[in-house]
Amino acid sequence: MDCKISEPVVGPRSEDYLPASVSTAVKVVIVGGFGVGKTTLVGSVSEIRPLTTEETMTQAGVGVDDVAGVERKTETTVAMDFGRISLSDELVLYLFGTPGQQRFWFLWNGLFEGALGAVVLIDSRRLDDSFDVIGRLEERGLPFVVAINAFPDAPSYPMSELRAAMDLPDDVPMVDCDARNRASSRDALLTLMRYLYTLTTTTPEQPR
Ligand SMILES: Nc1nc2c(ncn2[C@@H]2O[C@H](COP(=O)(O)OP(=O)(O)OP(=O)(O)O)[C@@H](O)[C@H]2O)c(=O)[nH]1
Ligand SMILES: [Mg+2]
């Protein structure tokens, strides 16, 4: 399997180096069902050349991969995406995108190792795909936020309806997102970081 990067390798660029001011690095995973925009998000927001592991989808996947709703997709992530974004002079996030095809989900355990939180990308046309994803995060106890990725023909549901449909607890943040847009993707990551911060500063209610 070849790893592709978006530009030919010509040696490290100045932005590839971490500034000396960085004191905190946080690992975050970008998860979601097949074709919800995980690779797009990591690529749009990363300040370094993102690592991707896209492979062409072939006839071999017919009957194995569920491509309902994303029939026009030609490539898929077979291992992971990797990128990096600095949120301030001191704080850097390392982004790991997971593969969406169910047959590669066994890789998730390794990718989740050491992660502090996750952004769950959702395509509101294919909500069913998100149930297993959210269930896995809940099983692992990994905090997450939900980002509704804006696909052009996706019906626009109120957040409250989507929350109810996904059976999400009230405290789990939800945001609209366009994974192709750097600022929008960054906002989704900031929402996760704010949520992680509130979790560390909120004391659990004491039993009476
Ligand atoms: N309109 C629109 N299209 C998007 C958006 N995000 C991704 N896409 C398109 O959706 C398709 C799938 O995006 P990917 O980033 O490959 O999705 P993925 O979740 O990484 O897919 P897998 O790794 O195969 O599960 C691509 O053709 C993207 O250009 C978005 O926010 N809006
Ligand atoms: Mg992908």
Side-chain angles (χ1 to χ4, degrees):
M1 181 183 73
D2 295 328
C3 288
K4 292 179 202 160
I5 51 177
S6 50
E7 292 168 26
V9 178
V10 289
R13 304 173 304 176
S14 57
E15 58 267 45
D16 292 342
Y17 293 105
L18 260 190
S21 56
V22 171
S23 56
T24 308
V26 173
K27 177 177 177 180
V28 160
V29 284
I30 314 298
V31 293
F34 177 46
V36 293
K38 302 174 293 293
T39 302
T40 305
L41 185 145
V42 173
S44 74
V45 90
S46 181
E47 65 203 9
I48 57 171
R49 287 166 297 191
L51 169 81
T52 65
T53 58
E54 297 296 282
E55 287 295 329
T56 306
M57 296 173 65
T58 66
Q59 286 295 316
V62 175
V64 178
D65 301 324
D66 181 5
V67 294
V70 277
E71 292 86 357
R72 278 188 285 171
K73 206 166 184 306
T74 56
E75 292 200 319
T76 189
T77 304
V78 295
M80 60 181 271
D81 310 302
F82 175 73
R84 190 189 84 201
I85 177 175
S86 304
L87 291 184
S88 70
D89 289 344
E90 292 86 30
L91 175 64
V92 72
L93 303 190
Y94 286 110
L95 310 174
F96 289 76
T98 56
Q101 307 263 24
Q102 294 250 2
R103 61 194 161 111
F104 298 127
W105 281 22
F106 69 93
L107 294 167
W108 286 24
N109 284 342
L111 289 172
F112 282 15
E113 208 66 50
L116 289 195
V119 172
V120 180
L121 267 182
I122 300 286
D123 177 350
S124 61
R125 299 166 303 179
R126 297 179 291 127
L127 264 194
D128 285 3
D129 295 358
S130 61
F131 299 148
D132 280 353
V133 175
I134 289 172
R136 279 190 153 216
L137 292 170
E138 287 175 340
E139 259 170 36
R140 290 189 71 100
L142 188 67
F144 63 91
V145 301
V146 171
I148 313 294
N149 201 7
F151 286 90
D153 53 342
S156 162
Y157 299 109
M159 284 286 186
S160 55
E161 272 184 35
L162 290 172
R163 184 182 291 282
M166 286 184 279
D167 202 15
L168 275 185
D170 286 345
D171 66 310
V172 173
M174 294 177 73
V175 281
D176 281 316
C177 170
D178 183 336
R180 299 162 302 175
N181 180 283
R182 178 178 161 80
S184 177
S185 300
R186 191 172 181 274
D187 276 350
L189 292 167
L190 282 170
T191 303
L192 174 63
M193 294 313 289
R194 283 192 207 103
Y195 180 52
L196 292 178
Y197 183 72
T198 58
L199 292 180
T200 57
T201 52
T202 313
T203 41
E205 256 181 49
Q206 298 298 318
R208 295 176 196 197

